[in-house]
Amino acid sequence: MKHDNKPSTTESLSKALIHQHGLSDEEYQAILAHLGREPNLTELGVFSVMWSEHCSYKSSRIHLKRFPTEGPRVVQGPGENAGAVDIGDGLAAVFKMESHNHPSFIEPFQGAATGVGGILRDIFTMGARPIALLDSLRFGELDHAKNRHLLQGVVSGISFYGNCIGVPTVGGEITFNDIYSKNPLVNVFCLGIVEKDRLLKGLAQGEGNLVLYIGAKTGRDGIHGATMASDSFDDASEKKRPNVQVGDPFLEKLLLEACLEFLEQDLLIGIQDMGAAGLTSSSCEMAARSGTGIELDVALVPRRESGMTPYEILLSESQERMLLVAKPGKQDAVLAICHKWGIDAAVVGKVTNDGLLRIKDGTQTVAEIPAKALAEEGPRYDRPAAPPSYQDSLQSLNLDMLPDVKNPDEVLIALLGSPTIASKAWVFRQYDYMVGTNTVVCPGSDAAVVRLKGTQKSLAITTDGNSRYCLLNPHMGGSLAVAEAARNLVCSGAEPIGVTDCLNFGNPERPDIMWQFVMAVEGIADACRALNIPVVSGNVSFYNETNGLSIYPTPILGMVGLIDAPEHITTQWFKQAGDHILLLGQTNEDLGGSEYLKVIHAREQGIIPWLDLEVEQRLHRCLLELIRQGWIQSAHDCSEGGLLVTLAECCITSPLAPLGAQITIPPHRIRLDGVLFGESPSRAVISVKPEHLDAVREAIVQAGVPLTDLGRVTSSSFDVTIQQAAPVSPICFSLPGSHLADIWKHSLAKQLDGDE
Amino acid sequence: MKAKIYVTLKEGILDPQGRAVQQSLQTLGFPAVEDVRIGKFLEVDIVETEQAAAEAQVRSMCEKLLANPVIENYRYELTEVSLPK
Amino acid sequence: MKAKIYVTLKEGILDPQGRAVQQSLQTLGFPAVEDVRIGKFLEVDIVETEQAAAEAQVRSMCEKLLANPVIENYRYELTEVSLPK
Amino acid sequence: MNIGIVVFPGSNCDRDCAYVASDVIGQSAQFIWHQETSLGEMDAIILPGGFSYGDYLRTGAIAHLSPIMDAVKAFAKQGGLVLGICNGFQILLESGLLPGAMLRNRGLSFRCEEVYVRVENAETPFTNQCHPGQVLKIPIAHAEGNYYTDPVTLSSLQANAQVIFRYCDADGQSTGPSNPNGSLDHIAGIRNAAGNVLGMMPHPERCAERALNNTDGFLVFQSMVASLKTQARLTAR
Ligand SMILES: Nc1ncnc2c1ncn2[C@@H]1O[C@H](COP(=O)(O)OP(=O)(O)O)[C@@H](O)[C@H]1O
Ligand SMILES: [Mg+2]
């Protein structure tokens, strides 16, 4: 062992400096124990980012263990750049979701763009070709100019990056609530496909193998971005405007093609993208996973600015960079491919067997840290959790204080025009959702469907999450999100096979926030277990808080389902006049936390719907059976806005001309607004050709799923008759389908462009 | 008045466009091209004859809309022009 | 040498971006803004000390790549800078 | 027949075009890297959509200077069929194979949606399977499809029946709202004077299969095959 070239630790680091790096006294003590000496400044910086909440999951890790992560299809569970599930035909679907909330608030366009870039790299570092993106967004209400500006910036950033790189953005979701005005959420999901036995991992095996750096040159971008994402905002941070990263989708497209060529030619031991904490996290994570060490020379790293210190090179978050370990003797082939695509590449180090991350600057060693101390042995906290004092008052709502609905047609129109329910075409038509020519169900149905060329199969994909539910009851809210995602897939004809999550919460050092987190994780875990859907990857974003005000707890699920045959692909809209309309599932007085209460009564309160997972599963089995028999024309899950909105959507969301419906709502024992606008889970509206009606009815009854006949599809107007218990006469209304369609279609554009 | 406004990327901010153009110029037979940075050039006509007032407006426009202070710098020149009316 | 190159849309060609910016400036409270035209501003560093040679190169770059003669005009200024090396 | 698909750095519809050429219309498709200087034995060339060079500077500007473009120009000069789709159209404009230029969309933002176009000339190698005035539904996906040219060029395009597609509504009427990007004279696609080079903003390769719920784009590829077959018969005679 050479002791002559240890990193120098000349001056002792001041307490202030340690705290500036976001490290607590105990954490600093742990660093001393790991090193057996004081760290120097570079090492302190490295520990600081790797032990940040963003990279270490120190507050969440112990809770994430509750997720079911195994199953017969799971090829890769959590722990790698992305998860993977077997989809047959020798293929695996690789997917993950990630947040870019903080950067998108500071610089919406670049923040969102680099978010897309980051998640794409997570997928293609697994050797998979990305085939679909989805984005899940949360913003403040659009009557504030600032929120409109943020939304416009974020959407154009996603559009800029995704369109340019040529991966279709096939879906997503967006809802509005002022709680997100100062903490908008930008979560991006990506799905890729790889031959199952060619899955690549972030490994650094084989002493002496060379470590290569490829991609963009390193600049001083986003130094300490990871620590920023682990910090709350206050008004001052809007002014601070820290080092923003700029995305280069063109370069990333070249990187993507180059990486797939490496795979084709079998040149690599392992590969990892340089995301948060850049060179540092990629190298120590690769070494730690493999039980090896890595030695890097920062002097060899391609740079675009002069005078960069090792500290800056190690912590830079410049985008579009990857670290890879080449198979012995294959480095020249790697370099040649990089040359062909015009990408910078350099050998920057080698794999060692001493378990250390050793950083050199030429001949001088500037840092030397056990890789596992950084990547795996960071702090873990079981932080105190307790429900907030206001939880009870959130849940208590006396519905008798609110008048029941008198004019359901007016409420329907108000809901269809409300931004959370209105058409999101203003957003997705800025995205290229067709490139790749696999998108067989474009944005606008319950789930997007992409076909897999060369097979009979397709994948359905959706993202879902209802933060108001999670605020009112985080455990049930988490379960409901899983159920809704799965229901969306099932309505599209798919069997759910895997899920990724992005958990957006406030400050985990607050017991009430931690309680929300723990409850939501439990709720998600329970539902995934009951529905047999493994969690294969995910991401946690804490500190979504400004001036002490936290966002609603917002777990988002990204779920993937498998469709075996093209005939089973099902969309949500009615197909043909004359078809019968049926409601599957039971309607209860589920108004608590509903969109109706918020839009019409300005309340975000109440007891949220109760989810019975067995009932939910029964519905899924029944729907899939009906779809596979070829018996149904359309299926749409009942969610935000309730039954009446769902029925209207079935009429107006078709890419072709809108249809109408003749609906009769049978007499009911609960409040009328509960019937029409309540959000009971485990329900779906289907349409059936007359010749299949009997078979369908019988199958539904056999399956033990409650069934209600609602009427027939018609060619134009939306006619509703609501029967009342005698002697009250029925409520009737009739609205032209085209009128409903106009309101629903143009609402967002009206608010955002001021025209149309 | 006419304002000529130059919006450029801040020092140290990546300029992917500039990089692509520089590389393409090099392969096109301009090996001497060392660096290219691409910014915006705006010409804004303002119905305002007072230098100071015009200047205040231009500065405010730049800050509010024309330049993105997170990643861009701006500078401007004001020239008098005889606008019709 | 450093070349500052200005690429602008030809007179008479509608500039959709400029128009949009003008409209947003008006709604943002700058009613005096009559017209906005948006062009490009390129800064190109060339390792070349001779004015004439540099000028020839810049003109050729503009014609081959930097401006599209169907819709754009260009002009440039050359300034000497002491490049390191 | 051999269809060559030129791949520029940043092309992203190259694989989609190849899929249609091989799997949908049953021809042989080959990728041609932009650094090549010869096309090989090709019967038709497609410049695919995408973001060549990231669309940096101007769409198509950097790509048109790629080494392969000399070969494409020579091929076009000899009467070879060249189809430029979206970014490919923009590259054809930059290279001078077609007249005019693209400006930013009137609404400034990227638009991805199905639009209608009217076939203005059904006697071209790209439209011979359509009937005159036929309305096709084809998706667009671009931010810079606002076609512009000077008035003299425009009238010669009109006079020589070089405007092949115009944006219109479902009934074939060209109106303001039916034009998604503000292009001059509602132009969605034009050909050169000789008739063998077509540039179009809409993406026929995205609607050439029943699986994608729209087969209108198939007509463009089918027309090319028909035209090449006729040509081959004529030369054989
Ligand atoms: N909420 C979660 N559920 C399941 N797995 C998670 C969750 N959060 C993180 N993980 C897993 O932890 C690992 C590290 O997280 P990751 O987000 O990949 O870090 P990075 O931001 O560096 O990519 C990943 O494998 C990820 O899938
Ligand atoms: Mg990762």
Side-chain angles (χ1 to χ4, degrees), chain A residues 80-81 96 98 122 272-273 285:
Chain A
E80 271 290 337
N81 288 323
K96 169 150 193 222
E98 215 158 66
D122 274 335
Q272 179 148 344
D273 86 290
E285 284 174 12

Side-chain angles (χ1 to χ4, degrees), chain B residues 16-17 20-21 24 28 38, chain D residues 53 55-58 62 65:
Chain B
Q17 271 210 93
V21 169
S24 142
L28 261 182
I38 302 188
Chain D
Y53 290 94
D55 268 2
Y56 295 150
L57 192 66
R58 291 185 313 280
I62 302 181
L65 298 166

Side-chain angles (χ1 to χ4, degrees), chain A residues 129 159-160 162-167 247-251 253-254 257 340-341 428-441 451 453-454 655-656 756, chain D residues 7-16 19 33-35 50-56 109-114 137 139-141 203 205-207 209 211-213:
Chain A
R129 180 177 281 280
S159 148
F160 161 74
N163 296 352
C164 181
I165 197 166
V167 177
D248 183 354
F250 169 56
L251 179 57
K253 165 75 173 164
L254 305 182
E257 298 298 339
K340 170 187 163 192
W341 288 100
F428 63 71
R429 81 166 191 216
Q430 299 187 47
Y431 302 150
D432 187 345
Y433 49 83
M434 296 191 215
V435 62
T437 60
N438 295 321
T439 317
V440 290
V441 177
R451 64 171 169 177
K453 288 188 185 121
L656 307 171
E756 292 206 70
Chain D
V7 182
F8 299 94
S11 292
N12 64 32
C13 303
D14 43 346
R15 292 150 43 88
D16 302 352
Y19 183 78
W33 182 236
H34 76 123
Q35 295 280 17
F51 286 69
S52 57
Y53 290 94
D55 268 2
Y56 295 150
S109 46
F110 190 96
R111 282 183 76 154
C112 176
E113 61 197 341
E114 287 186 316
K137 184 163 78 175
I140 54 163
H203 285 270
E205 83 281 12
R206 295 185 178 190
C207 54
E209 296 168 77
L212 300 173
N213 308 311

Side-chain angles (χ1 to χ4, degrees), chain A residues 190-268:
Chain A
C190 185
L191 166 75
I193 298 294
V194 63
E195 280 174 41
K196 196 174 81 178
D197 47 18
R198 302 196 112 188
L199 200 68
L200 271 179
K201 296 187 182 177
L203 294 178
Q205 290 161 337
E207 186 181 359
N209 283 335
L210 297 181
V211 177
L212 286 87
Y213 168 116
I214 71 167
K217 292 188 168 70
T218 296
R220 289 192 175 90
D221 320 275
I223 292 175
H224 274 193
T227 12
M228 171 174 95
S230 308
D231 241 328
S232 305
F233 275 128
D234 50 37
D235 282 331
S237 45
E238 217 177 323
K239 302 228 167 53
K240 252 192 288 168
R241 307 271 193 193
N243 18 42
V244 169
Q245 298 122 275
V246 167
D248 183 354
F250 169 56
L251 179 57
E252 179 130 320
K253 165 75 173 164
L254 305 182
L255 266 183
L256 158 64
E257 298 298 339
C259 284
L260 295 178
E261 279 189 30
F262 301 152
L263 178 77
E264 192 78 8
Q265 298 183 21
D266 198 16
L267 306 176
L268 302 185

